[in-house]
Amino acid sequence: MAFDTIIRNATLPDGRKGQDVGVSGGRIVAIGARLDAEAGETIEAQGHLLAPPFVDCHFHMDATLSLGQPRLNVSGTLLEGIALWGELKPHLTHEAVAERALRYCDLAVSQGLLAVRSHVDVCDDRLLAVEALLEVKKRVKPYLDLQLVAFPQDGYLRSPTAARNLERALDLGVDVVGGIPHFERTMADGAAAVTALCEIAAARGLMVDLHCDESDDPLSRHVETLAAEAHRLGLGSRATGSHLTSMHSMDNYYVSKLLPLIAESGINAIANPLINLTLQGRHDTYPRRRGMTRVAELRAHGVPVALGQDCVMDPWYGLGQADMLDVAHMAVHGAPMTSREAIRWTFDAVTEVPARILGLEGYGVRVGAHADLVLLQAADPIEAVRLRATRLLVMRRGRVVARTPARETALTLAGRPSRLDPSSYAPG
Ligand code: FE2
């Protein structure tokens, strides 16, 4: 047998060591210890972790890399970020949105991030960002899967043209129905928006992913409505609640009723630790609340939970580098969840779980899947999270699309020269 490419001596996310992976025609065609085969190209993995690509299930690509335009967010709150984005919106151009998005996709590929679900604001009658990102989606298709969510940033009911624009965006080819019920004028309007958006998703056979209860208000109840509507309409795993930060502040008794309702509905939950640990709790003095939803409790109830990045250098967040291991690392601290099992799970929460939420076809390190792979300078997934490991090589459909040199430091200490490889500190 002859392969296009063979990757030798890799460790797989499930713990199997010394594995060779054969690639032909853009697919994984064989996995096993010491495959006896010829190949056009041989890549030596040297025992490093070979993983499927990272998946970001919650992002805002129309706003990314716009930090400082037209000014910085002084209060650090979600609401000032929304206001600031509103100031920038009239000045956006198709070319500028596409250029920032394409630059971001380059960064994403370098980090082994090959699939992104991005919300795109439809509260602009020109639908300029929608058209720009639909063009970007086509252009990046050879190297990155971009799934778009029609997101009425200024409120589906609160903004006078949002409902019409959302339908127009879906007609143009935007994939998923979005919403922001906690930004509507009243709790009742928020609930009505959730119902209307879930009905649109059901009628069109689409997925729905709502920004839900992204506040510190312990009485915000939109995830309850989302779970109920998903149940009523049979949406199940086609529905997702993003952020869910109010759950952090909710009364424990109420949450004990809410969690089984979410689990029963079959919806997914997405936490965005980088953003919500910095946006939430801004009206507190001390103690100051963290802004993460109840990740451990959602998991314990069997709810599929993924971790998203949300923002990189935009009106809401001034840092970020398209690194989903940053997201996993921050989730460990923010939750906090420090057991080996939980840290290992955060790796799945930026790979396998969001791949299922997006409905990606042919995902994973298995025979028959797309040859979309990331070689990490780490011995296993926990070490990848600990080190936010270097992506030594990124492959898309069997073709190497990015390489980064291994991290290694030359030390000269007390006349004793040595070389330090960060991944040599793993526990045995
Ligand atoms: Fe978001």
Side-chain angles (χ1 to χ4, degrees):
M1 191 192 280
F3 303 130
D4 294 345
T5 304
I6 189 162
I7 304 167
R8 295 225 180 256
N9 188 23
T11 299
L12 304 186
D14 64 11
R16 278 180 287 166
K17 293 184 183 299
Q19 298 295 299
D20 295 348
V21 176
V23 170
S24 281
R27 298 253 175 192
I28 297 171
V29 293
I31 299 177
R34 292 202 199 90
L35 292 178
D36 186 15
E38 300 288 307
E41 186 189 6
T42 299
I43 295 166
E44 297 293 344
Q46 299 179 315
H48 289 128
L49 175 64
L50 185 69
F54 296 104
V55 179
D56 185 358
C57 53
H58 190 109
F59 195 62
H60 294 263
M61 204 176 280
D62 49 0
T64 195
L65 306 183
S66 70
L67 181 68
Q69 300 176 27
R71 60 182 177 82
L72 294 167
N73 185 333
V74 178
S75 68
T77 61
L78 170 71
L79 294 181
E80 184 175 347
I82 294 175
L84 220 162
W85 173 242
E87 290 171 33
L88 175 58
K89 243 192 287 192
H91 304 291
L92 293 175
T93 65
H94 182 106
E95 292 70 28
V97 172
E99 187 273 334
R100 286 191 280 101
L102 286 168
R103 227 162 8 107
Y104 178 80
C105 290
D106 290 353
L107 181 61
V109 170
S110 76
Q111 299 280 28
L113 170 55
L114 300 186
V116 177
R117 172 182 280 184
S118 174
H119 297 254
V120 52
D121 189 0
V122 299
C123 291
D124 172 353
D125 293 342
R126 300 170 298 169
L127 290 188
L128 180 145
V130 169
E131 289 181 351
L133 289 194
L134 282 168
E135 180 197 317
V136 167
K137 177 180 168 166
K138 265 194 218 124
R139 286 180 63 178
V140 302
K141 180 71 188 157
Y143 54 89
L144 186 144
D145 292 306
L146 177 57
Q147 188 177 80
L148 297 176
V149 186
F151 178 51
Q153 172 76 77
D154 299 332
Y156 177 73
L157 297 173
R158 185 170 170 179
S159 169
T161 54
R164 187 166 53 85
N165 289 347
L166 183 131
E167 301 267 7
R168 283 171 61 209
L170 297 174
D171 290 342
L172 285 171
V174 170
D175 308 275
V176 181
V177 179
I180 183 165
H182 54 275
F183 195 68
E184 303 292 354
R185 288 193 177 87
T186 64
M187 199 61 76
D189 277 1
V194 171
T195 297
L197 293 163
C198 286
E199 286 179 349
I200 292 170
R204 288 180 177 253
L206 297 176
M207 293 187 280
V208 56
D209 184 341
L210 304 183
H211 284 62
C212 227
D213 303 323
E214 188 181 5
S215 78
D216 297 320
D217 177 1
L219 298 177
S220 198
R221 293 286 184 263
H222 299 304
V223 69
E224 175 188 278
T225 309
L226 175 61
E229 290 300 294
H231 180 71
R232 179 177 70 89
L233 297 162
L235 294 173
S237 63
R238 275 163 54 201
T240 297
S242 280
H243 294 288
L244 311 180
T245 55
S246 294
M247 285 183 72
H248 185 95
S249 300
M250 282 172 183
D251 172 70
N252 287 329
Y253 176 80
Y254 171 66
V255 173
S256 77
K257 179 200 170 197
L258 177 64
L259 284 166
L261 287 176
I262 293 175
E264 174 198 53
S265 72
I267 68 171
N268 311 296
I270 295 174
N272 300 300
L274 293 172
I275 304 315
N276 290 127
L277 286 168
T278 49
L279 286 183
Q280 310 310 131
R282 290 285 181 155
H283 297 81
D284 295 353
T285 52
Y286 289 96
R288 182 171 279 183
R289 284 168 288 178
R290 298 172 187 214
M292 254 178 87
T293 191
R294 303 192 189 200
V295 171
E297 292 77 6
L298 284 161
R299 283 190 66 211
H301 279 77
V303 177
V305 184
L307 301 169
Q309 190 177 213
D310 204 8
C311 302
V312 168
M313 298 180 75
D314 69 8
W316 297 274
Y317 188 64
L319 301 175
Q321 51 173 352
D323 184 351
M324 295 310 294
L325 290 172
D326 271 351
V327 177
H329 193 266
M330 188 60 74
V332 169
H333 295 76
M337 45 186 174
T338 52
S339 71
R340 303 297 280 175
E341 186 278 334
I343 299 172
R344 172 66 186 79
W345 170 80
T346 64
F347 191 86
D348 285 347
V350 293
T351 52
E352 300 279 350
V353 183
R356 282 197 291 277
I357 292 175
L358 266 65
L360 294 181
E361 180 268 326
Y363 181 88
V365 184
R366 56 181 173 76
V367 172
H370 290 300
D372 296 352
L373 297 162
V374 182
L375 185 64
L376 292 148
Q377 190 185 0
D380 57 47
I382 291 178
E383 193 178 61
V385 173
R386 180 175 74 87
L387 299 173
R388 277 136 309 148
T390 299
R391 284 70 166 166
L392 300 169
L393 177 146
V394 181
M395 179 178 278
R396 168 82 169 181
R397 305 296 196 256
R399 207 169 59 82
V400 176
V401 289
R403 284 181 193 270
T404 304
R407 187 176 138 204
E408 187 184 70
T409 306
L411 293 173
T412 311
L413 303 174
R416 178 175 59 83
S418 66
R419 304 196 79 78
L420 188 149
D421 170 355
S423 62
S424 63
Y425 283 77

